[in-house]
Amino acid sequence: MKKQVSLALLGCGTVGGGVVQLLHQNAKYLAERVGAPLEVTRVLVRDPDKERVPELSRDRLTTDPDAVLGDPTIDVFVEVMGGEEPARDYVQRAIDSGRGVVTANKMLLALHGPALVDRAIARGVDLAFEGSVGGGIPVIRVLREALASDWVTSLRGIVNGTCNFVLTRMQKDGKSFDEALREAQAKGYAEADPTLDVDGHDAAHKLTVLAMLAFGARVDHAQVPTEGIRAIEAIDHAFASRFGYAIKHLAIGRDRGDAVELRVHPALVPVDQAIANVNGVLNAIALEGRALGPCLLSGRGAGDMPTAVSIVADVLDVARAKRNGAAGLMTRGIQLSERKVASLDDVETAYYLRFEVFDQPGVLARITGALGEARVSIQEMVQKGGGDASGAPVQVVMMTHIAKERDLRAALGALAGADFIARAPHVIRVVE
Ligand code: NAP
Ligand code: HSE
């Protein structure tokens, strides 16, 4: 067997710990696959005294980035520290030094992915990022390799395990938002800053990465419309279920030719669709290929070991490519061109609208009148509460037919400030 493959970890928290454990558990088998043992020789962290997985030798730890990035014996850098800076600087330095990089950092890729891909191609090294989307689900490989012969026309995914875990806990176990989020954090699913999860930014980062591979799109990530799950209440789950839907946090992408439609938001999904039944920390990505038709990938989308599976598989690919004189080949296959992100105003979809209104004569007529004026047609409607002398607001829920977002917003704008409205309406898009 040849000389070892030396790995440097940039960061060793939840995911890095999983990588160390997986490398340890499968050491013999992995060495056979690469033709040399894989050895973690340097580990960059912030706090060298923190408790870490027992498989990690403490003598590998350092807080000095130059000691890691300047070590000429490293073959592959594994960036699992997260965030934009200094991760970008370190990844660039690793690429410039001619070594392959594996990263799970979707924020970095969403903000700088195309530039980093260009840089890696120019330097003839690989930049691999299977762990950045879908945890252990091999969606990046599927898009980059298995579907390379086809055009992906659209995708729809549950790509944030924390959001799916929280929504599932609220829906099925009656947990509060805060209780469910604390549980997700304790299990290691959430980002270091969990607002990235629950406000939708993590899913938007992943959607931007998926769009690079699915549509070859180099987009301005800031243009991706993004909404999180904080506004979803128990009553929305109950109404959704009554109408035959589940509420999921979705990342949606569509190649419209003139632009790519990319959006992240909670959505009502019909319960008879597979994706509506993907629960807990599971992720799922439904792809639609022009020749292939539908394809659904599902699995554990967050956590140390599922993500480590993707990262170590990338390490194998990068190490083997280098040994076989094919370094940079898989990254050269990523072809990107500038694409415009379609405005949300032009999106056409159906809507779930929940109005909290005072139960007075003429209220329904005012609401339906405003919607009708704006060409938004109602498909189904239900009122809950009222009929007593308390004067408490009632819930009026409407499911619309497909309408333009611009028109819906015009209708809601016309109703804003009306004296019969107790609280701003809740709007959730519906997917069919
Ligand atoms: P984490 O538990 O917070 O670990 C981050 C690690 O990076 C820690 O070891 C930390 O050092 C180190 N670090 C951070 N900033 C540093 C700096 N400036 N200098 C040196 N070391 C630094 O995060 P994680 O959950 O493992 O996530 C890591 C990456 O994987 C992120 O990009 C995340 O988005 C991605 N990811 C996470 C998951 C998941 O389920 N958690 C799944 C897929 C992808 P200390 O330990 O000393 O604090
Ligand atoms: N915080 C992320 C999630 C980790 O909850 O899905 C996986 O990328």
Side-chain angles (χ1 to χ4, degrees), residues 357-360 382-396:
V357 294
F358 296 107
D359 198 8
Q360 298 160 357
V382 63
Q383 175 172 329
K384 190 161 178 272
D388 59 30
S390 71
V394 297
Q395 306 289 332
V396 173

Side-chain angles (χ1 to χ4, degrees), residues 281-315:
V281 73
L282 289 180
N283 281 195
I285 299 121
L287 304 166
E288 189 75 31
R290 206 180 272 173
L292 171 74
C295 168
L296 180 71
L297 303 167
S298 179
R300 285 168 71 192
D304 53 358
M305 297 316 286
T307 311
V309 168
S310 290
I311 291 173
V312 175
D314 276 350
V315 169

Side-chain angles (χ1 to χ4, degrees), residues 157-173:
I158 295 174
V159 292
N160 185 269
T162 301
C163 282
N164 205 36
F165 184 86
V166 169
L167 287 176
T168 304
R169 282 299 220 192
M170 289 173 73
Q171 181 194 0
K172 299 203 182 293
D173 307 314

Side-chain angles (χ1 to χ4, degrees), residues 324-343:
N324 296 333
L329 208 58
M330 68 174 147
T331 310
R332 276 211 297 281
I334 303 173
Q335 288 174 352
L336 301 170
S337 54
E338 296 284 344
R339 301 295 300 275
K340 188 169 149 280
V341 178
S343 161

Side-chain angles (χ1 to χ4, degrees), residues 10-17 43-52 62-63 65 79-83 85-87 90 103-108 131-135 162 187-192 196 202 206 301-304 307 311:
L10 304 171
C12 191
T14 303
V15 174
V43 179
L44 178 71
V45 292
R46 271 177 308 212
D47 176 2
D49 299 324
K50 212 183 233 182
E51 195 176 328
R52 300 186 194 271
T62 176
T63 55
E79 187 274 300
V80 279
M81 58 192 292
E85 293 292 356
Y90 296 171
T103 179
N105 189 339
K106 50 271 166 134
M107 175 192 278
L108 177 67
S132 65
V133 182
T162 301
K187 289 178 185 290
Y189 304 151
E191 295 302 304
L196 288 172
D202 178 76
K206 290 167 178 165
D304 53 358
T307 311
I311 291 173

Side-chain angles (χ1 to χ4, degrees), residues 35-350:
L38 299 170
E39 187 72 28
V40 175
T41 55
R42 298 252 186 201
V43 179
L44 178 71
V45 292
R46 271 177 308 212
D47 176 2
D49 299 324
K50 212 183 233 182
E51 195 176 328
R52 300 186 194 271
V53 290
E55 293 83 355
L56 180 67
S57 312
R58 298 201 77 84
D59 62 354
R60 310 289 150 98
L61 294 178
T62 176
T63 55
D64 177 6
D66 296 331
V68 181
L69 292 158
D71 181 343
T73 68
I74 302 299
D75 296 298
V76 183
F77 288 91
V78 179
E79 187 274 300
V80 279
M81 58 192 292
E84 185 179 2
E85 293 292 356
R88 175 168 75 146
D89 177 42
Y90 296 171
V91 167
Q92 285 181 348
R93 285 169 64 184
I95 291 171
D96 293 350
S97 72
R99 269 76 64 81
V101 178
V102 174
T103 179
N105 189 339
K106 50 271 166 134
M107 175 192 278
L108 177 67
L109 293 164
L111 301 177
H112 306 290
L116 292 171
V117 166
D118 290 348
R119 204 173 184 112
I121 292 172
R123 192 63 182 79
V125 297
D126 279 309
L127 175 67
F129 44 91
E130 186 65 71
S132 65
V133 182
I137 305 173
V139 62
I140 300 292
R141 261 182 194 69
V142 165
L143 288 169
R144 200 186 59 219
E145 291 164 23
L147 300 187
S149 59
D150 197 9
W151 287 96
V152 176
T153 52
S154 67
L155 63 91
R156 180 184 288 181
I158 295 174
V159 292
N160 185 269
T162 301
C163 282
N164 205 36
F165 184 86
V166 169
L167 287 176
T168 304
R169 282 299 220 192
M170 289 173 73
Q171 181 194 0
K172 299 203 182 293
D173 307 314
K175 296 270 181 200
S176 74
F177 175 86
D178 288 334
E179 282 172 330
L181 177 58
R182 272 199 299 277
E183 201 180 330
Q185 286 177 287
K187 289 178 185 290
Y189 304 151
E191 295 302 304
D193 171 5
T195 60
L196 288 172
D197 297 296
V198 297
D199 291 330
H201 304 295
D202 178 76
H205 292 149
K206 290 167 178 165
L207 180 59
T208 299
V209 176
L210 288 174
M212 277 170 59
L213 295 157
F215 313 129
R218 181 189 288 261
V219 299
D220 175 5
H221 172 72
Q223 302 300 312
V224 177
T226 303
E227 294 167 23
I229 59 167
R230 282 185 207 267
I232 306 295
E233 295 175 14
I235 193 170
D236 295 312
H237 286 293
F239 277 120
S241 159
R242 181 169 174 167
F243 287 117
Y245 294 86
I247 301 177
K248 293 292 173 190
H249 188 249
L250 293 187
I252 297 172
R254 187 182 315 278
D255 192 344
R256 292 196 342 201
D258 58 329
V260 281
E261 184 177 313
L262 301 176
R263 51 191 164 105
V264 168
H265 52 72
L268 265 68
V269 184
V271 285
D272 58 4
Q273 285 194 11
I275 213 161
N277 300 292
V278 171
N279 291 318
V281 73
L282 289 180
N283 281 195
I285 299 121
L287 304 166
E288 189 75 31
R290 206 180 272 173
L292 171 74
C295 168
L296 180 71
L297 303 167
S298 179
R300 285 168 71 192
D304 53 358
M305 297 316 286
T307 311
V309 168
S310 290
I311 291 173
V312 175
D314 276 350
V315 169
L316 291 186
D317 277 354
V318 173
R320 279 192 301 209
K322 193 174 175 191
R323 283 185 165 262
N324 296 333
L329 208 58
M330 68 174 147
T331 310
R332 276 211 297 281
I334 303 173
Q335 288 174 352
L336 301 170
S337 54
E338 296 284 344
R339 301 295 300 275
K340 188 169 149 280
V341 178
S343 161
L344 199 52
D345 275 351
D346 296 325
V347 163
E348 294 189 17
T349 187

Side-chain angles (χ1 to χ4, degrees), residues 353 355 357 362-382 396-400 411-412 415 420-421:
L353 309 173
F355 296 91
V357 294
V363 165
L364 278 184
R366 295 271 304 273
I367 296 175
T368 54
L371 289 168
E373 280 278 298
R375 299 175 296 279
V376 179
S377 171
I378 297 155
Q379 188 183 39
E380 221 174 332
M381 198 191 81
V382 63
V396 173
V397 177
M398 295 175 181
M399 302 290 290
T400 76
L412 298 181
L415 290 167
F420 57 84
I421 294 201

